Amino acid sequence: MILSVNPAFCEITAFQAEELQGQSIQLLAPLIHDASLPEAMREDLSSSGHWQGEVISMRRNGAPLTAWVSLSLRRDTDPRSGHLIAIVHDVTSVRQVEQKLLRRDHFDGLTDLPNRQLLVDRLSQALAQARRHQQPLALLFLDVNQLRHVNDNFGHTAGDGILREVAQRLRQSLREVDTVARLGGDEFAVLLPGATAEGAGQVADKLIERLAQPCRVEGHEFSLTFSIGVALSPDDAETPEALLRCADTAMYRAKLEGRGRWCFYSADMLNRSARQLQLEAALRRAEEREELALVYQPQVCLQSGRLVGMEALIRWKHPELGMISPAEFIPLAESSGQILSIGAWVMRTAVRQMKQWIDAGLPSNVVAVNLSAVQFRDPGLPELVQKVLDDAGLPPSCLELELTESVAAHNPAEAGQMMDRLHALGVRLSIDDFGTGFSSLSHLKRFPIHTLKIDQSFVRDIGTDPDDRAIVQAIIQMARALRLTTIAEGVETDEQAAFLQSHGCEAAQGYRFCKPMPPEDTLAWVQSHTRPNSASRALLAPTAAQAGV
Ligand code: C2E
Ligand code: CA
Ligand code: CA
């Protein structure tokens, strides 16, 4: 029975003192949300005489109340009776502020989904629980494929609308115990506690299907596709970060396989970083999206200063990642096989460009194109070269193909046959990065090669490293003996150019003369580098054919 309450209790609970005094404490029990709480209180009180804890309840007027309650039991001399003293702190507003802060820290403002941080928290809890109960768990990593396109063409309001719609569909497609989170940008994650590989696969199937339904946003109808990566614990990883990485990697793999796919993580993907997979996926569309371009670097005769050729070098401008170096993406294109189509594009573009330059009066008529070992092993290469030249109307002698020494390392006999076929077409062959592979001189002698390109690593230290000086000298001498032309790469200083010239190197390319430049700058460069001496006459030669090496 409630004996007395003070005014503060009345203020907190919105009861009048008269309404409570003399009533059973049961009067308050229905206001407590957690029905098992009174029982727990009773147990603690009878064992220790104390209880304290947070009670979520409501006031008499129905308003929410969160209270911190301490109960202590004072036994009378008669053990069958006693007094209970309850001290109640109203912590409602404190908890509300805490909740708000927590939301801001843990939820995505746009979709109201948990953010990455909260996902990681829940994931580590779920992983701990899964370990305890020896249960599996799955994490799905989702990416909206064309969101960038929507943002670019329909504005960010449309993009935001789509993200909200996606969030809603994801929530509707999943169970209460699953967590859907927005990781940022166009990436979402789904945590499926207890899910096996089979279960996760079914969920991924379902999500792909539901998300493929067209959605209307801002008066437009959008059909979007998604890529999903699935990682499993404990099989793939056992920490939140590692599991996220696995799912992310699998997502990029799924992307590679085409839009609207999902894919399990597998350990062999570990060798390939997410960036690699991302680049590989983006590279597939780089050509059609016209993100690839060629720049050209002049090759100059060291004796006369004449322009003797142009090397075509590929550039890739990724819309988000910026300029990607060919040193990074060519190996990816090689391993994925895309190098064949990219290489064909390079050849077509460079050959067409050279034809235009010749028509515009450029005093050199040789364009050098880098050839990957993968292209070189493609039996269709000679036909491709022939067709590209025919289509552009460029004589074969105007095309030089740069090979690396490694093409011959694997199977010299086969490499020799391919070189013979190319040579028979009338195109010129050069060996790029010479000195860095393990070429044997006997091979070189057998092959129909026109030019050795001395690798820039030797040229760089000509001024300081006697070994490099000796190597460069030896390469030039050897080339002469084999009747090969030499071009030094990466020539940056006058000193390097002078050394090379004095030892009989015919030509050079490098920043000393010109950085690789876009085709539209080339004619202007050639004109501004004509000097009023014999070299300039050569540079301004009336017919391009005369200016060949
Ligand atoms: P590479 O064929 O040895 O090309 C020479 C590289 O050295 C180019 O880098 C060029 O920009 C750079 N370079 C030129 N002059 C200088 C200089 O004076 N100093 C320094 N430090 N560097 C200089 P880039 O364009 O980044 O190309 C890197 C490599 O990517 C190329 O090496 C080539 O192996 C490959 N690559 C480029 N374009 C293609 C292509 O169309 N097809 C294939 N298969 N490979 C390509
Ligand atoms: Ca090259
Ligand atoms: Ca090179």
Side-chain angles (χ1 to χ4, degrees):
M1 180 185 294
I2 300 169
L3 291 182
S4 99
V5 294
N6 69 358
F9 185 86
C10 295
E11 208 176 297
I12 289 172
T13 59
F15 277 102
Q16 305 285 329
E18 305 78 64
E19 293 176 281
L20 298 170
Q21 274 159 7
Q23 297 294 323
S24 160
I25 196 146
Q26 291 300 334
L27 183 76
L28 296 175
L31 303 180
I32 297 175
H33 285 196
D34 181 353
S36 62
L37 204 55
E39 188 55 40
M41 287 175 182
R42 221 189 317 269
E43 269 175 30
D44 274 17
L45 286 173
S46 63
S47 63
S48 71
H50 291 284
W51 181 87
Q52 61 175 355
E54 198 162 291
V55 176
I56 297 178
S57 173
M58 58 182 176
R59 302 172 215 264
R60 186 173 188 268
N61 55 14
L65 169 66
T66 306
W68 183 260
V69 178
S70 313
L71 301 178
S72 38
L73 188 63
R74 293 288 150 83
R75 293 223 181 264
D76 288 349
T77 36
D78 176 357
R80 284 169 306 164
S81 70
H83 288 87
L84 190 64
I85 299 169
I87 298 174
V88 176
H89 277 273
D90 183 354
V91 293
T92 312
S93 58
V94 176
R95 291 291 179 261
Q96 277 168 352
V97 171
E98 277 177 1
Q99 283 296 325
K100 278 200 193 113
L101 289 176
L102 208 66
R103 266 205 102 64
R104 209 181 46 189
D105 278 0
H106 285 146
F107 288 83
D108 168 48
L110 179 68
T111 59
D112 216 28
L113 289 178
N115 63 13
R116 178 184 283 267
Q117 196 191 333
L118 182 54
L119 175 78
V120 170
D121 281 357
R122 292 207 185 152
L123 191 51
S124 48
Q125 281 169 20
L127 284 166
Q129 199 163 6
R131 246 193 316 276
R132 256 197 315 277
H133 298 107
Q134 298 191 324
Q135 279 177 342
L137 169 164
L139 184 70
L140 274 54
F141 198 110
L142 257 102
D143 181 276
V144 191
N145 284 326
Q146 307 94 329
L147 193 72
R148 218 192 101 79
H149 175 77
V150 174
N151 282 332
D152 287 354
N153 294 289
F154 300 89
H156 283 268
T157 337
D160 288 353
I162 287 182
L163 288 170
R164 274 198 218 97
E165 173 71 24
V166 170
Q168 200 183 340
R169 288 188 191 184
L170 287 173
R171 255 190 306 240
Q172 283 166 354
S173 312
L174 295 159
R175 298 170 305 164
E176 196 70 18
V177 294
D178 304 331
T179 297
V180 184
R182 179 169 175 228
L183 301 176
D186 50 6
E187 293 173 344
F188 294 84
V190 174
L191 165 62
L192 305 173
T196 57
E198 197 191 352
Q202 283 164 359
V203 172
D205 275 338
K206 180 168 82 177
L207 293 182
I208 292 272
E209 192 204 307
R210 297 251 169 111
L211 293 170
Q213 308 294 324
C215 69
R216 268 197 98 68
V217 174
E218 299 259 296
H220 301 283
E221 189 164 280
F222 296 96
S223 284
L224 297 163
T225 57
F226 293 77
S227 302
I228 303 181
V230 182
L232 305 167
S233 187
D235 296 6
D236 299 332
E238 295 194 68
T239 66
E241 291 75 21
L243 201 62
L244 263 167
R245 247 195 325 274
C246 292
D248 186 6
T249 304
M251 188 278 290
Y252 280 114
R253 167 59 62 174
K255 235 180 199 197
L256 270 182
E257 290 177 0
R259 292 167 181 179
R261 300 283 181 90
W262 67 267
C263 180
F264 278 121
Y265 173 79
S266 77
D268 69 323
M269 293 175 189
L270 244 184
N271 311 328
R272 311 161 66 73
S273 72
R275 178 177 161 94
Q276 280 184 330
L277 290 162
Q278 183 186 10
L279 288 181
E280 225 171 85
L283 195 55
R284 276 157 57 112
R285 291 184 287 278
E287 201 182 320
E288 81 191 42
R289 288 186 185 167
E290 299 185 2
E291 291 166 7
L292 299 179
L294 292 185
V295 290
Y296 295 85
Q297 188 174 38
Q299 301 174 327
V300 175
C301 171
L302 280 168
Q303 188 96 52
S304 65
R306 260 181 3 180
L307 179 71
V308 294
M310 287 283 189
E311 179 177 0
L313 293 159
I314 195 166
R315 294 291 175 265
W316 177 19
K317 193 163 187 304
H318 186 286
E320 281 128 43
L321 303 171
M323 285 304 250
I324 318 280
S325 158
E328 183 174 11
F329 75 82
I330 293 288
L332 294 179
E334 286 176 333
S335 64
S336 70
Q338 291 168 65
I339 191 67
L340 290 181
S341 98
I342 292 174
W345 175 85
V346 169
M347 205 183 303
R348 228 172 19 245
T349 309
V351 161
R352 234 184 255 153
Q353 182 62 63
M354 182 44 76
K355 173 72 172 130
Q356 280 175 23
W357 277 332
I358 290 177
D359 293 346
L362 188 84
S364 160
N365 58 5
V366 179
V367 68
V369 169
N370 291 283
L371 213 61
S372 139
V374 177
Q375 290 172 274
F376 184 76
R377 282 196 294 269
D378 174 24
L381 178 66
E383 285 74 35
L384 175 73
V385 173
Q386 184 68 63
K387 177 156 181 6
V388 165
L389 289 168
D390 288 349
D391 288 351
L394 191 76
S397 59
C398 298
L399 176 63
E400 180 170 299
L401 299 177
E402 296 194 2
L403 314 169
T404 54
E405 293 168 82
S406 62
V407 300
H410 181 53
N411 186 341
E414 207 171 286
Q417 282 169 12
M418 178 56 93
M419 287 190 213
D420 287 340
R421 287 177 66 194
L422 293 169
H423 182 67
L425 295 177
V427 299
R428 260 165 40 175
L429 301 177
S430 64
I431 297 287
D432 202 357
D433 306 340
F434 187 78
T436 59
F438 302 98
S439 49
S440 90
L441 287 178
S442 62
H443 287 162
L444 276 182
K445 228 159 60 185
R446 283 212 319 255
F447 297 149
I449 288 161
H450 183 274
T451 307
L452 289 189
K453 300 192 70 176
I454 304 171
D455 188 66
Q456 47 183 292
S457 60
F458 304 114
V459 174
R460 192 179 310 130
D461 297 328
I462 276 178
T464 51
D465 189 334
D467 285 343
D468 283 354
R469 267 204 293 274
I471 290 171
V472 168
Q473 272 176 272
I475 293 175
I476 297 169
Q477 276 168 20
M478 183 198 72
R480 280 204 164 157
L482 294 169
R483 297 181 195 282
L484 302 175
T485 303
T486 43
I487 293 190
E489 293 185 302
V491 177
E492 296 183 353
T493 66
D494 285 340
E495 189 195 14
Q496 292 164 345
F499 175 90
L500 290 159
Q501 193 197 340
S502 69
H503 287 87
C505 176
E506 273 98 355
Q509 84 186 81
Y511 299 165
R512 158 68 184 78
F513 307 100
C514 189
K515 290 199 170 183
M517 59 187 156
E520 57 272 18
D521 294 352
T522 299
L523 288 173
W525 181 85
V526 170
Q527 252 133 45
S528 72
H529 283 73
T530 51
R531 282 158 288 145
N533 57 27
S534 60
S536 81
R537 254 178 275 125
L539 203 56
L540 289 173
T543 65
Q546 288 173 333
V549 185

